[in-house]
Amino acid sequence: MAGRGRGAEDGEKTTAGVSERLLFADTVPAEAVPVWVPVPRPATEISDGDAVVKPPPPAAIDLIRRRFRRASFSAIRRGVAEAASTELDRGIGFLLVPVFLAAGVILYYSLSAEPDLYRPLAAVALMALCAAVSRPWLKTHLVFMAALFCALGFVAAKVETWRAATPMLGSEIQTRLTGRVVIAEEMANGRVRLTIDLLSTAHPKLRYAPDRVRLSARRIPAGMKAGSLVTGYARLLPPTGPVRPESYDFSFDSYFSGIGGSGFFLGDPKLIPPTDPIAQTSIASAIENARENIADHIRSTVGGPEGEIAAALIVGVRAGIPEDINEAMRRTGIYHIISISGLHMALVAGMVMLLLRGAFALFPDFSSRRPVKKYAAAIAVMSIAAYLVISGVVVAAERSFIMLAVMLIAVLFDRAALTMRNLAISAIAVILVSPHEVVGPSFQMSFAATAALVGAYAGWSDYRAGKVRAPPAKRSFLRFMSHKLAVGAGGAAMTSIIAGSATALFAIWHFQRVSPLSLLANLAIMPIVTIVMFLAVASAVMMPFGFDGPFLYLMGKGLAAMIAISAWISEWSPVDAVGLISIHSVLLATIALVIATMATTWLRLAAIPFAAAAVMMIPQVRTPDLLISEDAHLVAMPIGGGELAINRARSNEFTTDNWKRALKAETIVPPETFAKGTLDIADPVDLPPGSPFYCTGDLCIGRHPSGAIVALAEKREAARPACDFADLIVINDATAYNPCRDPRVLVVTKRQLARDGSAAVFFDPQSATARATIQYAVEKPYRPWHEQRRYSREARGLAPYKKPEKPKAKPQPLSSGG
């Protein structure tokens, strides 16, 4: 899909743009528009002179009527074939390559069991052979090519899983570890997060230790940096699974990030003198230390939260941004500003090209004889490559770099930069390098927004190319600037609307939230962000010479204004939790987006039924009646009125926030605690529907609005009395088994949750055989990123590990003097 070209059409005082798409237009002449010619009528039909003679229907209506009469299945089929042929001539086949690659990747990750590598490779070979043999038959050839790319995507995902092979910690353990620091990040709560490559463990020595872990510490010794050797006693935790079924899987992310465990130091880590100076001075360590030094310099110069955001924009270090500022930006829909992605790469490349083109313009003789635009594009590629390295080579920045580098390299070869073809090349590169990113929100939202913007830009260019426009009238400077500002604001608004519409369902599916005031926030903040990024580029250029102070100062003032605007809009923003939506609606919306952005003929109208079906399928999902965490520690139950009852006075904030958005709850209702023996166990049957949890001793009870009674017990003995009245019993004990004989009572133990992950429960009081059904987050047999679950102590039905106590020394008898 090409963008708008440049050209002129001869004519008096008229100009018109030329679209690249028009170069592929059909040469078949259009059907001539019928001209109305008066038909002689009998004299009896001729009215008086003063009577009104009704003219025949307009030519357009008459043409529609005649085409409708001629419409038949064969005519429609012929029209579809002609449009499809036109699409193929315009290169839609290449644009669909990443689509089918992504389909193969999604198919691999959606399997319930891990496949072997031989059969997918055989499928690739077979599809390649069939595609080669079927070249004379176009339709069959296209089908086999689509199947071939699906198989290639499947194989790419399988190879990445095999190549990662991350050792994952199976169970919680305390051990003394020794390792090399890879990354050290200062967090907003004052702690320091360390990513460490493990070298050894002791007391106890782990037989299946992970290669890399992520730990937090209260303090770190002076002089610790990337490459330093550290040791300390730490509590290691295995990677966690989804906080609820069909939510983001953190063990999946840890597996492909190479992180085999997480946790925290029980004391302060200590430095060890290096035994291998070469490892401490490696290129990766030098780059990481340079990032931290630059970040510290920015923080000390700018100061406050503004300094943390400035460090995030320049070097990608964002762990120190306060959570209230993060949440305000999420509610207002501008959090994408913090993550180094396409916006930042584009601003950096655009400003570098703008400055270089301006500098070249100072030398007109040189500029007229040299391709200065290509020089600027080449230097811009090197600039964003340096920006990628100094920002930590995170996945989002890597994907954005590939996309933008392809577009800038297209400029070097005199090709249009912003085209759907270049976007397809970027997507193919990302899918083949990191297939697991396809199922993540970053990849989906980034490419959906970019494809929608490129498609809308190309469609608008085609529309304007056929228009005859008179030259603009002379305006005063004030009217000229007002017009430019209005056009700029309108363009920014349309950009935000198009990108927001394309990514809305993906955001709802992954985060269960929308930003109602995102359009207002982006319009208010994007001009500030543009200036801030210009100052960031200038400060980065001047930093080696020590002249970056003024630019960082102005950058801090701009970020302070951005924080203030974001906080003000966030206070007025309504509740952004929208609950769960159907995965089928997301798939249908994806199909509609692909058709609408890639088709160039009237076939793009085929996106309408898919979009309509996606909208209708949004509510076709059943909201859980109760959620249980994978450690059996936390249970949440909506009780009506936007309230969510939980069984713990102190709960995991991240988990409860996710559950609130998924269940469309606004208020957390903590349990009411009674002294042991003061709550009669027969009272649950008298509780009104929608009662929160009441706890006494080792037992909590509550009642769902449907009338189902829920009991939560710490031990099997405490759960046995609840078998007489409860519909669901959750036992926070891995050694316990079902104490109830009634099959209608659903019993969930900590051992089941350790094996199968978090759970969603659905109540059906009308059922006589099963009043409650359950859905777990992890299916069996395990995929590679879940294999560690089978080795936890809880999954094996064992009690938590306790370090054996040292025997006390026996008192020595007093010796008698002699």
Side-chain angles (χ1 to χ4, degrees):
M1 183 175 292
R4 178 187 175 188
R6 292 183 179 273
E9 185 179 18
D10 296 336
E12 186 177 356
K13 297 183 180 181
T14 60
T15 59
V18 178
S19 171
E20 293 181 13
R21 292 189 186 189
L22 299 180
L23 299 177
F24 300 95
D26 294 335
T27 58
V28 180
E31 184 177 353
V33 178
V35 179
W36 177 59
V37 179
V39 180
R41 293 178 295 168
T44 56
E45 298 183 7
I46 300 177
S47 59
D48 298 335
D50 56 339
V52 178
V53 179
K54 294 183 179 181
I61 298 178
D62 184 66
L63 178 62
I64 293 174
R65 287 178 179 175
R66 290 191 293 107
R67 287 186 175 180
F68 182 77
R69 294 192 188 102
R70 292 201 309 266
S72 62
F73 178 77
S74 59
I76 295 174
R77 183 178 179 180
R78 186 167 56 254
V80 171
E82 292 177 355
S85 177
T86 303
E87 296 285 2
L88 290 174
D89 292 340
R90 296 178 179 179
I92 195 174
F94 180 78
L95 301 184
L96 291 176
V97 169
V99 176
F100 291 112
L101 286 174
V105 172
I106 294 173
L107 175 63
Y108 168 78
Y109 290 121
S110 62
L111 294 179
S112 58
E114 185 65 18
D116 55 38
L117 184 59
Y118 306 105
R119 276 177 282 191
L121 287 176
V124 170
L126 178 61
M127 291 300 103
L129 178 62
C130 293
V133 172
S134 62
R135 287 184 64 89
W137 304 279
L138 179 60
K139 295 180 182 179
T140 307
H141 176 69
L142 292 177
V143 171
F144 282 122
M145 287 298 295
L148 172 62
F149 286 116
C150 285
L152 286 174
F154 192 99
V155 170
K158 174 62 181 178
V159 169
E160 185 191 28
T161 302
W162 168 76
R163 182 166 45 90
T166 302
M168 310 279 277
L169 189 68
S171 185
E172 178 180 344
I173 192 69
Q174 295 181 13
T175 182
R176 177 172 293 278
L177 58 85
T178 301
R180 179 172 286 108
V181 177
V182 179
I183 302 174
E185 301 172 290
E186 295 184 7
M187 303 176 67
N189 58 7
R191 299 180 68 90
V192 181
R193 184 169 62 192
L194 302 173
T195 302
I196 300 174
D197 284 340
L198 285 187
L199 301 178
S200 64
T201 59
H203 308 298
K205 179 179 176 61
L206 303 183
R207 289 181 296 174
Y208 303 100
D211 295 335
R212 177 172 291 185
V213 295
R214 184 172 289 156
L215 305 173
S216 65
R218 289 189 297 269
R219 292 177 300 273
I220 59 174
M224 179 182 289
K225 58 183 180 179
S228 300
L229 292 178
V230 296
T231 184
Y233 205 67
R235 172 172 291 179
L236 297 179
L237 306 172
T240 59
V243 296
R244 57 174 179 78
E246 297 184 350
S247 68
Y248 189 76
D249 191 347
F250 295 95
S251 60
F252 178 86
D253 179 72
S254 297
Y255 181 86
F256 289 102
S257 300
I259 305 296
S262 60
F264 52 90
F265 281 101
L266 297 175
D268 295 335
K270 297 179 181 179
L271 279 175
I272 299 178
T275 57
D276 187 3
I278 297 178
Q280 193 170 9
T281 58
S282 63
I283 296 177
S285 299
I287 293 174
E288 184 58 33
N289 290 327
R291 291 181 65 220
E292 286 298 325
N293 292 335
I294 295 173
D296 291 339
H297 172 71
I298 295 171
R299 294 189 192 105
S300 61
T301 304
V302 179
E306 297 84 2
E308 298 291 346
I309 298 178
L313 294 177
I314 295 178
V315 294
V317 179
R318 52 178 177 170
I321 302 176
E323 184 57 30
D324 58 337
I325 295 179
N326 284 331
E327 181 61 22
M329 288 190 289
R330 292 190 189 102
R331 288 178 65 90
T332 53
I334 62 170
Y335 191 74
H336 60 90
I337 294 172
I338 301 301
S339 175
I340 295 179
S341 56
L343 171 66
H344 307 78
M345 291 282 180
L347 289 174
V348 170
M351 290 173 184
V352 169
M353 290 193 67
L354 180 64
L355 292 174
L356 290 175
R357 295 292 296 274
F360 285 136
L362 299 177
F363 306 94
D365 185 57
F366 177 81
S367 300
S368 62
R369 292 182 291 106
R370 299 290 182 180
V372 294
K373 182 179 179 180
K374 295 183 179 181
Y375 295 165
I379 298 176
V381 171
M382 292 186 286
S383 300
I384 61 175
Y387 188 30
L388 173 68
V389 172
I390 203 64
S391 64
V393 198
V394 295
V395 176
E398 182 180 359
R399 181 176 57 255
S400 304
F401 167 76
I402 294 175
M403 185 185 306
L404 201 59
V406 169
M407 296 180 180
L408 291 173
I409 292 174
V411 175
L412 299 179
F413 292 93
D414 298 317
R415 302 296 298 270
L418 192 61
T419 66
M420 196 68 73
R421 179 177 291 270
N422 293 347
L423 180 64
I425 294 174
S426 305
I428 292 171
V430 173
I431 293 172
L432 295 180
V433 173
S434 301
H436 74 279
E437 283 295 312
V438 172
V439 296
S442 182
F443 176 93
Q444 295 172 7
M445 298 178 68
S446 174
F447 279 100
T450 307
L453 291 172
V454 173
Y457 172 79
W460 176 249
S461 299
D462 292 345
Y463 171 77
R464 295 192 65 188
K467 291 288 184 179
V468 177
R469 298 181 300 275
K474 293 183 178 180
R475 303 186 182 96
S476 63
F477 177 77
L478 181 60
R479 292 188 61 187
F480 176 79
M481 292 303 299
S482 301
H483 176 74
K484 290 296 183 182
L485 289 175
V487 171
M494 288 305 302
T495 298
S496 181
I497 291 173
I498 294 171
S501 301
T503 59
L505 284 184
F506 298 103
I508 296 174
W509 167 254
H510 289 287
F511 309 112
Q512 297 79 53
R513 67 191 307 172
V514 294
S515 301
L517 301 181
S518 61
L519 177 59
L520 174 62
N522 280 277
L523 288 178
I525 290 175
M526 287 311 298
I528 300 176
V529 173
T530 304
I531 298 174
V532 164
M533 288 305 300
F534 175 80
L535 295 171
V537 174
S539 64
V541 173
M542 294 298 177
M543 195 173 293
F545 308 102
F547 301 126
D548 58 320
F551 299 102
L552 289 177
Y553 173 80
L554 295 175
M555 186 178 179
K557 296 300 181 182
L559 292 175
M562 186 190 77
I563 293 173
I565 295 173
S566 176
W568 180 76
I569 297 177
S570 177
E571 292 177 358
W572 289 94
S573 181
V575 178
D576 56 352
V578 294
L580 303 177
I581 62 173
S582 170
I583 182 61
H584 302 95
S585 66
V586 181
L587 295 177
L588 290 170
T590 303
I591 297 174
L593 182 65
V594 168
I595 297 174
T597 56
M598 294 186 179
T600 58
T601 64
W602 63 267
L603 288 180
R604 69 180 63 170
L605 297 177
I608 296 177
F610 288 100
V615 174
M616 290 188 292
M617 290 293 294
I618 287 177
Q620 302 301 319
V621 62
R622 185 178 179 185
T623 303
D625 296 317
L626 187 135
L627 293 173
I628 311 172
S629 63
E630 66 177 357
D631 59 359
H633 187 75
L634 187 63
V635 176
M637 179 177 64
I639 56 177
E643 294 182 332
L644 186 67
I646 59 175
N647 65 316
R648 302 281 179 178
R650 298 179 60 184
S651 60
N652 185 288
E653 185 177 356
F654 176 83
T655 301
T656 52
D657 285 345
N658 184 285
W659 288 358
K660 282 173 61 179
R661 293 194 302 270
L663 302 176
K664 292 189 289 187
E666 302 177 15
T667 307
I668 295 293
V669 180
E672 296 188 25
T673 305
F674 297 86
K676 188 173 184 180
T678 59
L679 181 63
D680 188 0
I681 201 65
D683 288 343
V685 295
D686 300 327
L687 287 176
S691 298
F693 289 108
Y694 299 97
C695 300
T696 176
D698 291 337
L699 183 66
C700 294
I701 54 175
R703 194 162 193 174
H704 189 263
S706 65
I709 298 177
V710 180
L712 316 173
E714 294 295 324
K715 300 291 182 180
R716 180 177 181 272
E717 292 75 16
R720 183 179 288 112
C723 295
D724 298 331
F725 57 81
D727 298 290
L728 169 68
I729 302 177
V730 181
I731 306 177
N732 187 22
D733 184 2
T735 63
Y737 55 90
N738 190 346
C740 303
R741 296 182 180 180
D742 189 348
R744 294 177 298 175
V745 179
L746 178 63
V747 178
V748 181
T749 66
K750 190 168 189 172
R751 184 180 184 183
Q752 290 174 301
L753 294 168
R755 289 178 171 182
D756 303 328
S758 57
V761 181
F762 305 90
F763 293 124
D764 185 9
Q766 305 300 326
S767 175
T769 58
R771 298 178 183 176
T773 56
I774 190 167
Q775 176 187 355
Y776 291 100
V778 179
E779 297 181 355
K780 295 178 183 177
Y782 293 129
R783 304 298 296 273
W785 46 91
H786 290 145
E787 276 291 334
Q788 76 282 356
R789 302 190 72 92
R790 68 172 75 247
Y791 304 111
S792 68
R793 294 184 62 85
E794 292 79 7
R796 291 179 289 163
L798 302 177
Y801 177 81
K802 292 183 179 180
K803 187 177 181 181
E805 298 181 359
K806 294 182 179 180
K808 297 182 180 179
K810 296 182 179 180
Q812 299 293 332
L814 296 175
S815 60
S816 59

